[in-house]
Amino acid sequence: MRELILAFESSCDETSVAVVENGHTILSNIIATQINSHKRFGGVVPEVASRHHVQQITRCTEEAMAQAGVDYDDLTAVAVTMGPGLVGALLIGVTAAKVIAFAHHLPLIPINHMAGHTYAASYVAPFEFPLLALLVSGGHTELVYMQSDYDFEIIGDTRDDAVGEAYDKIGRVLGITYPAGKEVDALAHEGQDTFHFPRAMLEEDNLDFSFSGLKSAFINTVHHADQLNETLDRADLATSFQAAVLDILVGKTLRALQTHPVHQLVIAGGVAANQGLRERMHTELAKLPNPPQLLIPPLRLCGDNAAMIGAAAHVALAKGIRGDLHLNADPGLSFDTRTA
């Protein structure tokens, strides 16, 4: 039987609508980005994001349906990100999904945004459990252990800044406009680790992360040099920052693999597009005697998109997860199904 899910994603600054067939075939994945609108502010402005979602959601839906070549009568279900994210932005997607589900008598499937990022990797290969996921984005840095489908246990989390957030903040100091991650990554391939910034919590006996101290050390180094009228090499600064980030992310992940043996390792979220992270993880896993299969979504599925929501919804639908017309946005939605 052909399963067609119409999926919505509007948690932050991307309006996206997709049609996904049987959980693994993307028939359409329309993404309306807002980056140019937020660049001048140096970050996402919630009110601006919400207004853009209102303007784009209908167009994206029509385009997704047309590109997929389907009608509403062909759909099996409607899925939507209900959280976490910006409450105003989330509400646009939730409202659109509820209207379509109600009007066409379709099941409504609420999806956690981070579950979506995780299942973006299922387009690369089917999941084999248990698996470990390193989720890295502008708002999240988490290690998640999965013993089975849609079973999420957070075993490591950031104590302060998310890694993507740290990239944007130090990018501002380097004169790089939002979002800074891609340009910092490129610059980091041109310099040397001459500043040896701190690797917070790397030696502690836990799987948590911290990037606030690294960010502060970077900013203080640059400001101190400015006060002395010294010019620091931008490439060396970027390389030193990224070297510290990768030591922390990869080091904690390798420690998690020791305590949680798995068949697969997923890296997902916006920062999964980082070339340095991809290269370093491949290199370190190759040194292990029995490494897990590494699954990283293609670049087009690393950022926020509705196809990842459709992939997660395929599993949620089979598990009987449903929403109703009382479904609301939940900006602080928990991801750990063991404690939620």
Side-chain angles (χ1 to χ4, degrees), residues 111-134:
I111 299 296
N112 188 301
H113 179 73
M114 301 312 295
H117 273 308
T118 304
Y119 276 90
S122 68
Y123 286 114
V124 179
F127 281 175
E128 297 177 19
F129 301 99
L131 69 75
L132 180 71
L134 172 65

Side-chain angles (χ1 to χ4, degrees), residues 250-323:
V250 176
K252 290 284 187 173
T253 302
L254 292 177
R255 182 178 298 175
L257 290 174
Q258 292 177 350
T259 56
H260 296 74
V262 294
H263 295 298
Q264 294 174 323
L265 170 63
V266 167
I267 303 178
V271 183
N274 183 285
Q275 193 62 35
L277 176 58
R278 289 169 174 245
E279 293 167 354
R280 178 71 175 277
M281 195 65 81
H282 273 290
T283 299
E284 295 302 322
L285 288 180
K287 298 176 183 178
L288 300 180
N290 187 27
Q293 180 186 18
L294 180 60
L295 301 182
I296 307 177
L299 293 179
R300 63 190 176 90
L301 297 181
C302 286
D304 293 349
N305 67 91
M308 70 184 195
I309 303 303
H314 168 70
V315 180
L317 179 65
K319 287 188 168 290
I321 297 173
R322 302 287 187 276

Side-chain angles (χ1 to χ4, degrees), residues 28-319:
S28 61
N29 189 27
I30 307 303
I31 304 172
T33 184
Q34 304 176 11
I35 288 177
N36 289 334
S37 295
H38 297 287
K39 264 184 180 178
R40 55 188 170 142
F41 302 110
V44 177
V45 179
E47 176 64 20
V48 173
S50 298
R51 289 178 181 271
H52 275 284
H53 288 307
V54 171
Q55 295 167 356
Q56 297 291 343
I57 195 77
T58 300
R59 181 191 67 80
C60 287
T61 303
E62 292 173 347
E63 192 171 339
M65 296 287 287
Q67 190 176 110
V70 300
D71 198 354
Y72 289 108
D73 291 338
D74 301 318
L75 297 178
T76 306
V78 180
V80 62
T81 300
M82 66 172 292
L86 303 175
V87 63
L90 288 165
L91 280 169
I92 308 306
V94 168
T95 302
K98 285 165 64 173
V99 167
I100 292 174
F102 175 75
H104 298 280
H105 309 287
L106 293 166
L108 178 64
I109 310 171
I111 299 296
N112 188 301
H113 179 73
M114 301 312 295
H117 273 308
T118 304
Y119 276 90
S122 68
Y123 286 114
V124 179
F127 281 175
E128 297 177 19
F129 301 99
L131 69 75
L132 180 71
L134 172 65
L135 305 180
V136 279
S137 68
H140 298 267
T141 305
E142 298 166 337
L143 280 166
V144 179
Y145 181 64
M146 297 179 65
Q147 294 190 46
S148 61
D149 256 333
Y150 234 74
D151 175 25
F152 308 105
E153 179 185 2
I154 296 177
I155 60 174
D157 203 351
T158 182
R159 301 281 183 88
D160 38 63
D161 290 354
V163 64
E165 179 183 3
Y167 268 94
D168 287 332
K169 287 180 178 177
I170 68 100
R172 197 174 305 156
V173 176
L174 289 173
I176 299 172
T177 57
Y178 169 88
K182 183 177 180 180
E183 192 169 339
V184 172
D185 180 29
L187 196 59
H189 282 76
E190 300 176 6
Q192 302 293 323
D193 181 10
T194 58
F195 293 97
H196 306 295
F197 291 126
R199 277 73 166 156
M201 299 182 66
L202 193 55
E203 302 304 321
E204 294 187 15
D205 188 23
N206 59 57
L207 297 174
D208 288 342
F209 304 90
S210 173
F211 296 101
S212 179
L214 169 60
K215 173 201 67 182
S216 297
F218 182 99
I219 294 173
N220 290 339
T221 297
V222 174
H223 286 175
H224 181 67
D226 289 344
Q227 291 171 352
L228 298 177
N229 291 320
E230 294 179 357
T231 301
L232 303 180
D233 187 279
R234 292 175 74 250
D236 286 348
L237 282 167
T239 302
S240 299
F241 171 79
Q242 181 149 296
V245 167
L246 298 185
D247 281 351
I248 296 168
L249 291 178
V250 176
K252 290 284 187 173
T253 302
L254 292 177
R255 182 178 298 175
L257 290 174
Q258 292 177 350
T259 56
H260 296 74
V262 294
H263 295 298
Q264 294 174 323
L265 170 63
V266 167
I267 303 178
V271 183
N274 183 285
Q275 193 62 35
L277 176 58
R278 289 169 174 245
E279 293 167 354
R280 178 71 175 277
M281 195 65 81
H282 273 290
T283 299
E284 295 302 322
L285 288 180
K287 298 176 183 178
L288 300 180
N290 187 27
Q293 180 186 18
L294 180 60
L295 301 182
I296 307 177
L299 293 179
R300 63 190 176 90
L301 297 181
C302 286
D304 293 349
N305 67 91
M308 70 184 195
I309 303 303
H314 168 70
V315 180
L317 179 65
K319 287 188 168 290

